[in-house]
């Protein structure tokens, strides 16, 4: 039997291992030089002014929303085609969440739908405080269009770019925050690069950077210039608001630093696999994610965290899933619309509001896509899918 080919998998090199071992032998296990370096490398790679690294992207989303003042009485809008963390973090802060349906071509939140909803919300006095575009599978949302809407309707923007490290939008790296307040990345093992668990927040605002740093560590600052009391002894620190410990360790940051060194190679490889899939499936009745609403040239491209194919029916999807599984190719479904989860149902979320995301979810399938996917493995995937359609 062939070895299992998963839909996604981390890539750990010998130099990654060496980098981690070096930190284990050093004086700093947490909050050391690797931490600072990882944050500053992320900021410079993504062309943002500031970055803070944290324990995971869920924590990063929570910190981002809290830094923007999200709390009880506020409303946050996002895409239903995401991991539950995007909206959970807002609910945990006591805010209300509303889901805006996706576009069936881009699999991202539909900007047209969003515009209609904003018009309605303005009439009813229910405009969102924050909108969270999710760059699904690594494909950036149309940030410029969203930014224009934010100027008109006065909401803030947090990008959930958990999938999109290394992707490009409008000739700039995702994470540059030209059209957002804060951008969040995840370093979970299935994502583009990994630190085991890990996340980051990027911003161009010095004020937000300060709050983000304090929220990462109990609402504490050690910066004298920010102190409320002016008679502080040299060992003093101030807790100015309520938070928890969301720090990333130096051990994890060393892995992140090492993984960042091959980010470009990683993305180039993923783009190559995506191109191979696209041409191999050209004649089949399969739809794939398009960026037609943004741009089809080199100025905007996906980081290809996932490669999703859209089948013609849920029956066909189930049959293909089973067929691939028999061939030891393990696929997955991203995502069940968040509001269909039992917890959300119990909160009385309307189950009929996002029909496109429901239809999408009934037919989508994420096939193997990761940095270490070999030529041989790719051919196995392509052959199996072709065989399924020809049989
Ligand atoms: C993975 C993921 C998260 C959560 O990331 P963690 O680092 O696992 O907390 C949030 N949003 C999206 C879209 C994700 O894919």
């Amino acid at each position: 039997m062939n070895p299992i080919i998963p839909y996604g998998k981390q890539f750990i090199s010998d130099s990654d291992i060496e980098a981690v071992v070096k930190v284990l032998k050093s004086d700093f296990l947490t909050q050391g030089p690797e931490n600072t370096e990882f944050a500053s490398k992320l900021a410079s790679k993504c062309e943002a002014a500031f970055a803070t690294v944290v324990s995971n992207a869920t924590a990063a989303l929570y910190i981002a929303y809290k830094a923007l003042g999200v709390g009880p009485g506020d409303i946050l809008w996002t895409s239903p085609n995401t991991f539950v963390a995007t909206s959970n973090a807002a609910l945990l802060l006591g805010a209300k969440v509303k889901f805006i349906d996706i576009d069936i071509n881009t699999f991202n939140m539909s900007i047209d739908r969003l515009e209609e909803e904003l018009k309605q919300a303005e009439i009813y006095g229910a405009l969102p405080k924050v909108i969270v575009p999710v760059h699904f599978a690594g494909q950036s949302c149309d940030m410029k269009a969203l930014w224009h809407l934010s100027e008109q309707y006065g909401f803030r923007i947090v990008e959930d770019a958990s999938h999109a490290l290394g992707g490009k939008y409008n000739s700039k790296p995702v994470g540059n925050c030209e059209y957002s307040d804060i951008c969040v990345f995840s370093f979970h093992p299935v994502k583009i690069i990994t630190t085991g668990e890990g996340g980051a927040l990027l911003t161009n605002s010095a004020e937000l950077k300060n709050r983000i740093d304090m929220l990462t560590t109990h609402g504490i600052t050690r910066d004298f210039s920010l102190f409320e009391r002016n008679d502080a002894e040299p060992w003093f620190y101030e807790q100015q608001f309520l938070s928890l410990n969301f720090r990333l360790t130096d051990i994890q940051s060393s892995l992140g630093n090492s993984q960042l060194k091959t980010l470009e190679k990683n993305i180039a490889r993923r783009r190559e696999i995506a191109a191979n899939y696209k041409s191999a499936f050209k004649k089949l009745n399969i739809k794939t994610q398009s960026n037609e609403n943004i741009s089809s040239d080199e100025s905007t491209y996906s980081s290809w965290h996932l490669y999703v194919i859209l089948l013609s029916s849920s029956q066909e999807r189930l049959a293909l899933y089973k067929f691939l599984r028999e061939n030891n190719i393990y696929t997955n479904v991203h995502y069940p619309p968040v509001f269909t989860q039992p917890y959300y149902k119990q909160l009385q979320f309307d189950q009929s509001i996002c029909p496109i995301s429901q239809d999408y979810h009934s037919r989508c399938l994420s096939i193997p896509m990761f940095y270490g996917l070999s030529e041989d493995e790719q051919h196995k995937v392509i052959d199996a899918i072709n065989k399924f359609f020809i049989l």
Side-chain angles (χ1 to χ4, degrees):
M1 197 62 184
N2 291 326
I4 289 166
I5 308 175
Y7 83 92
K9 192 184 176 182
Q10 72 271 24
F11 186 89
I12 303 290
S13 69
D14 288 342
S15 41
D16 289 341
I17 294 167
E18 273 169 38
V20 172
V21 170
K22 202 174 131 205
V23 172
L24 286 171
K25 291 179 178 167
S26 80
D27 289 339
F28 300 96
L29 294 189
T30 184
Q31 309 298 286
E34 293 285 341
N35 219 278
T36 317
E37 188 184 330
F38 188 32
S40 84
K41 272 196 182 148
L42 276 170
S44 72
K45 267 207 193 296
C46 296
E47 297 174 18
F50 309 104
T52 300
V53 291
V54 296
S55 48
N56 53 65
T58 308
L61 290 163
Y62 178 87
I63 291 167
Y65 302 163
K66 191 150 167 135
L68 292 172
V70 171
D74 293 325
I75 308 169
L76 179 142
W77 290 7
T78 190
S79 166
N81 187 26
T82 186
F83 183 55
V84 294
T86 319
S87 59
N88 282 352
L91 294 181
L92 210 54
L93 284 163
K96 284 211 161 77
V97 170
K98 182 183 167 88
F99 296 101
I100 306 299
D101 212 353
I102 61 168
D103 179 304
I104 199 62
N105 299 309
T106 65
F107 310 163
N108 278 330
M109 181 163 64
S110 158
I111 295 287
D112 292 342
R113 187 85 207 117
L114 177 66
E115 198 166 356
E116 283 168 34
E117 295 279 357
L118 284 165
K119 273 184 198 148
Q120 288 296 315
E122 190 174 39
I123 295 166
Y124 296 117
L127 283 170
K129 180 168 197 155
V130 175
I131 291 186
V132 187
V134 179
H135 305 320
F136 180 77
Q139 178 65 58
S140 177
C141 295
D142 189 348
M143 293 305 296
K144 221 168 167 173
L146 190 59
W147 181 254
H148 284 308
L149 290 171
S150 80
E151 296 208 301
Q152 193 178 344
Y153 293 96
F155 54 84
R156 312 292 292 270
I157 301 171
V158 174
E159 295 171 74
D160 184 342
S162 291
H163 300 182
L165 181 68
K168 257 197 169 159
Y169 171 73
N170 221 3
S171 303
K172 289 194 181 145
V174 170
N176 75 85
C177 297
E178 183 175 3
Y179 300 111
S180 68
D181 294 285
I182 299 170
C183 179
V184 165
F185 291 118
S186 171
F187 309 125
H188 181 278
V190 296
K191 307 290 162 73
I192 304 291
I193 67 162
T194 191
T195 57
E197 294 280 358
L201 300 98
L202 279 69
T203 185
N204 290 329
S205 154
E207 193 195 330
L208 280 174
K209 160 71 174 163
N210 246 329
R211 309 199 35 181
I212 289 166
D213 283 351
M214 289 174 72
L215 285 164
T216 300
T217 180
H218 312 280
I220 284 175
T221 180
R222 291 176 185 275
D223 181 347
F224 274 29
S225 68
L226 300 172
F227 281 7
E228 284 171 19
R229 60 181 274 191
N230 48 24
D231 59 343
E233 292 87 4
W235 52 82
F236 203 69
Y237 59 85
E238 272 190 6
Q239 185 204 339
Q240 295 179 349
F241 37 82
L242 190 61
S243 193
L244 298 168
N245 172 2
F246 297 115
R247 296 187 300 259
L248 190 73
T249 68
D250 236 36
I251 308 168
Q252 292 167 298
S253 295
S254 69
L255 182 53
N257 274 325
S258 183
Q259 293 246 310
L260 265 187
K261 288 184 186 147
T262 47
L263 178 65
E264 287 75 17
K265 254 168 73 183
N266 181 337
I267 300 299
R269 180 95 184 100
R270 288 170 188 268
R271 296 185 70 199
E272 195 184 301
I273 296 167
N276 289 346
Y277 279 157
K278 196 169 176 131
S279 80
F281 304 147
K282 216 162 37 198
K283 295 207 174 86
L284 306 180
N285 190 18
I286 281 177
K287 239 187 93 151
T288 54
Q289 187 177 22
S290 88
N291 62 2
E292 66 192 338
N293 291 347
I294 306 172
S295 128
S296 51
D297 61 34
E298 280 293 295
S299 67
T300 295
Y301 57 77
S302 177
S303 61
W304 294 110
H305 158 53
L306 299 172
Y307 195 90
V308 175
I309 58 176
L310 206 55
L311 287 311
S312 58
S313 69
S314 62
Q315 293 83 347
E316 188 180 68
R317 194 259 307 266
L318 180 62
L320 178 60
Y321 174 88
K322 285 181 174 164
F323 180 80
L324 293 175
R325 189 121 182 146
E326 281 161 17
N327 287 277
N328 264 356
I329 297 164
Y330 285 21
T331 57
N332 212 328
V333 166
H334 299 94
Y335 290 96
V338 175
F339 57 83
T340 63
Q341 296 289 349
Y343 179 75
Y344 282 78
K345 276 192 176 153
Q346 159 248 301
L347 290 178
Q348 313 293 329
F349 270 81
D350 187 344
Q351 299 298 300
S352 66
I353 43 164
C354 300
I356 314 267
S357 74
Q358 300 260 36
D359 171 47
Y360 161 85
H361 167 241
S362 73
R363 302 188 280 128
C364 68
L365 198 65
S366 303
I367 64 171
M369 167 59 87
F370 50 92
Y371 182 30
L373 188 70
S374 70
E375 296 277 325
D376 184 47
E377 287 171 322
Q378 260 180 81
H379 286 136
K380 280 187 180 133
V381 175
I382 289 168
D383 287 349
I385 291 175
N386 272 310
K387 207 161 139 198
F388 172 83
F389 279 96
I390 287 153
L391 285 177

